[in-house]
Structure formats: C-alpha cells, structure tokens
Amino acid sequence: MYPTLRFDVAADAAEAWSDALLEAGALSVDLSDPHAGEAAERAVYAEPGSAPNWWPVSRVCALFPAGFDAQATLARAAAGLGVPLPLAEPADVAEQDWVRLTQAQFAPLRIDDGLWVVPSWCAPPDPCALNLALDPGLAFGTGSHPTTRLCLQWLRDAVRGGETVLDYGCGSGILAIGAARLGATRVTGVDIDPQAIVASRANARANGVAATFVPPDGLAPHPADIVVANILANPLIVLAPLLAARTKAGGRIALSGILADQAEGVRAAYAPWFNIAPWCTAEGWVLLAGMRHP
C-alpha cells in the first residue's frame, strides 16, 4: 500500500508545497481544483513554473513510498516552508499493475474494412487485414481521433502504389506509415516537435517500413504526388502556399483537423492552387481533398 495525503492550500503556495514534498521524499505531487468533481479534476504535475493560477485554492495530493511516514514528511515540509501544518486527509493506494491498467484502455481500432490500428500488446482481430502497429505515446496520432481516421481512410482510397507521399505535421507518423504500408514508395514525415520525429522513426521501425522523418528545415525540395496534413485550421491556412509548392502538378492533397464551420475558410485558402472540396466528415470534423492545378 502507498500512503497519500490530500490537503488544500492557497493557489500561490501550491508550487512551494509541491517542491517541498518532493524534496522530502514524496513519489509524486498532483495539484487540482478542489471544487471540481473527482471525474473532472484537472491534474497539474509538479514541475517548475506549473503552479495553476485559474483557481484561488489548490488541492495538493502527495503519494509516498510504501511504509513511509507521510504525516512526519508533511511536518518536515511545513517546517521547511515556515508555515503551519495543514490538516491533511490520509488514504492508502493499493499497489497495482499500472502498465497493465494503462494498456487496458487501448484496444485494436478498426479504421475501415480490412484496416486496423493495433497496439503491440494486442493480437490483430483480423490477421488478414492491413494492421498498423502503433502504441500510444507522446506524439499525436493513435487512430482514435476522427481526423486521423478520416486521413487513413482517404489514404486507403488515394494510394494505388508507387506514389511519393508527404505527411506534414506527422505526429506519431501514423499517416506516413499507413501510406507506406499501402504501397507508397517514398514517404516523408515532417513535424516541428523533436519528440514527434523520435516517435515516428520508432513507429516506422516497428512496422518495418522505410520512411523519412525530419523537421521542416530538413525537408528535401521535391514535390510529392500526395500531401496529407492533419493539423488545425489556422495553421493549415498559413501553410497553404508551402503545401501547394510541395504538391506536384496533378498531385493530390488531403487536409484535416478542420471543424465544419472552418472548412470554407480553409478551402478558400487552397483554391488558388487546388480543386478542393469536403471529402468526408466525422463527428463534426471535415477532411478536405483536392487535386493540384496543372
């Protein structure tokens, strides 16, 4: 059993309490809004500069190693801060297989007939299908979000074999990997987040595909047959000239991360270069697709 203590402090003192408890031996400290329901608590992990300022009081919940004297640790932290000992609510947390509990939240995800995204710890529901091996990680894109599913469905329709593909804003690399598994011969993913590049390269290796992942300044100056960008509406509008230049004449583009009421604005931004229109919608999200003017 792991002892925990929970108590409320002024929000501007929460960060100091967090630091003091971690230095005194706490395994972790969470800060949350004490007025929110348990299911809606917004946890903020104790890192420098992370003290919340959107509520006047913060709830501090500290987790300690098994067998630790949590109350004595709290007293030392209070003494170090030079403040009175707060009234804290003790509780015990049972030891569990946290990895297994986390994995249980993620199951194989059907994208379309014969196309699945499957975590590494699961057996493919359909061994004959195209199964993309992907575990949840720090980069966006596990297939669960409607925009990712729309893009994978569009790629399945667009990739015939032998195309060059650019995935701009690759996140986990799922779209680039999907394009490669569908038969594209030269696939490149781009992202401004270094962690996304690391994750994409690892995911490509796990799927046995040859794909290149680079930051924007590492992208070779060659247009692609197919460009896909699953970002957000405003960045897509800003990127319109760049993505147009990266698409071959007669090439195809797919844009997602667009809410229904944003679709016309994005379409208008790309209209000078593309015949582009909504291709499909899902849960209020739109995928625009089109062909580059000759």
Side-chain angles (χ1 to χ4, degrees):
M1 303 290 284
Y2 294 88
T4 68
L5 290 175
R6 183 162 57 179
F7 57 96
D8 294 345
V9 298
D12 58 5
E15 181 68 22
W17 270 106
S18 199
D19 290 343
L21 288 164
L22 289 169
E23 290 174 7
L27 292 173
S28 67
V29 180
D30 292 344
L31 309 179
S32 63
D33 179 358
H35 303 296
E38 291 297 326
E41 283 191 349
R42 295 169 288 179
V44 179
Y45 294 99
E47 296 178 356
S50 67
N53 56 14
W54 51 86
W55 54 75
V57 176
S58 288
R59 176 154 295 164
V60 180
C61 184
L63 176 72
F64 300 91
F68 225 61
D69 188 337
Q71 289 287 355
T73 303
L74 180 64
R76 290 197 300 273
L81 293 171
V83 298
L85 184 67
L87 180 62
E89 176 186 354
D92 289 321
V93 175
E95 185 171 2
Q96 301 186 58
D97 187 340
W98 300 109
V99 172
R100 187 178 296 277
L101 287 173
T102 300
Q103 290 179 346
Q105 301 177 49
F106 299 94
L109 180 66
R110 179 184 175 276
I111 302 299
D112 207 345
D113 288 339
L115 178 58
W116 290 76
V117 176
V118 183
S120 60
W121 53 83
C122 296
D126 180 1
C128 297
L130 176 60
N131 293 296
L132 306 181
L134 198 84
D135 294 343
L138 296 179
F140 175 79
T142 62
S144 60
H145 197 274
T147 61
T148 309
R149 296 199 302 272
L150 285 170
C151 289
L152 286 170
Q153 290 164 358
W154 182 85
L155 283 169
R156 192 179 188 197
D157 181 72
V159 176
R160 303 301 184 188
E163 296 91 346
T164 57
V165 175
L166 171 62
D167 174 9
Y168 206 95
C170 61
S172 68
I174 186 171
L175 302 182
I177 292 165
R181 292 287 306 276
L182 287 164
T185 55
R186 182 169 62 83
V187 178
T188 304
V190 173
D191 207 289
I192 61 173
D193 182 2
Q195 182 61 48
I197 302 300
V198 173
S200 293
R201 290 171 178 169
N203 289 331
R205 288 193 296 271
N207 282 272
V209 302
T212 302
F213 297 96
V214 296
D217 59 5
L219 183 60
H222 305 300
D225 298 311
I226 292 174
V227 173
V228 60
N230 181 23
I231 314 177
L232 289 170
N234 287 337
L236 286 173
I237 290 171
V238 173
L239 288 168
L242 184 151
L243 295 182
R246 294 292 182 177
T247 310
K248 288 182 179 179
R252 303 178 68 181
I253 194 167
L255 308 171
S256 197
I258 306 163
L259 292 169
D261 61 359
Q262 300 169 330
E264 177 54 29
V266 178
R267 189 208 63 77
Y270 284 79
W273 300 279
F274 296 90
N275 293 319
I276 190 166
W279 181 79
C280 193
T281 63
E283 299 177 37
W285 297 92
V286 177
L287 183 143
L288 296 176
M291 183 174 293
R292 180 81 153 88
H293 299 319

